Amino acid sequence: MTIDLGTPRQLDDAEREVLLADPRGYCAGVDRAVITVEQALDLYGAPVYVRKQIVHNKHVVQNLEKRGAIFVEEIGEIPEGETVVFSAHGVSPQVHRDAEARSLKTIDATCPLVTKVHNEAKRFAREQYEILLIGHDGHEEVEGTAGEAPESITLVERPEDVDHLEFPPDAKLSWLSQTTLSVDETMEIVRRLREKFPQLEDPPSDDICYATQNRQVAVKQIGAEADLVIVVGSGNSSNSVRLVEVALEAGAKASYRVDDASEIDEAWLEGVERVSVTSGASVPDDLVQGVLDYLADRGYPAAKAVNTAEESLVFSLPKELRRDMKAAGRA
Ligand code: SF4
């Protein structure tokens, strides 16, 4: 017996809608890090070495490579005396020492909001706290923060991890987090931690950064009744991956992450009326425009922006770079 599934119903334009998250894309820390590498290339000439991906976006990395940036995994790969930029995710003190040992000229593009978490870790460790760092094992930001106080930090990845933690009742405990986590999941972990360890102390301010929070609020808004949410961002971008999860938790029927429009599977659009689009904090907006063009080519109308927050934060460039630009008469 064959079952006739019929031909998919053609949707007319009036039934289709595209919602576009605002804010989305570049945050202040990513913008600063990318400009840092561009300015370093202009000022010192190629090559400029960058330890790890400057931001977690393959298109950004490829564009900078074309201009003469060389991305390496570790300091030992860089010839002595060259210039190295540290990525927005931050580095541990050991990486600074390794760079010094190779006489490298360093430019630190660590996002100031990551540096804030490093400083909190150092202070808590100095004051004899055990620090529960909520984050993803192996993520560069977590490696950098943990490296500030390796003896005092315990990593907590999931709510269930709390069950396996043991500390004496009089232990001084505090928690910190990676800047790009799901706000809701992090708060669930903190709730469990506090239930088990009532003496737990909070950090002085939120570690999950404004950009991560704003993009999650926005995707909840545009994702709640969407048939499909497309998140533009790379697979190693923590905040982009979280946006897919948050969209699904908010009620989106489906959500996928793509690096660019070429990764969209046409089948995702079958029967889909409302498509919502957003992007992670390391994504240039031309990649989002590519997705909107793709949708337009398939009969979807122009996107309606849904604004949930205003962002105006701008960080000044790393001080080493500003000093050299000034000396060269470019500041
Ligand atoms: Fe800084 Fe947040 Fe952007 Fe990371 S996502 S670079 S912490 S502003």
Side-chain angles (χ1 to χ4, degrees), residues 25-33 54-55 88-89 109-115 117 141 178-180 207-213 215 239 280-282 313 315:
Y26 268 22
C27 60
V30 163
D31 198 35
R32 170 183 188 259
I54 184 72
V55 298
H89 309 100
T110 301
C111 175
L113 300 181
V114 174
T115 302
V117 184
E141 185 187 320
Q178 194 178 326
T179 57
T180 50
D207 289 338
I208 299 181
C209 77
Y210 79 99
T212 300
Q213 298 195 30
R215 279 148 194 71
N239 80 90
S282 46
L313 189 63
F315 293 127

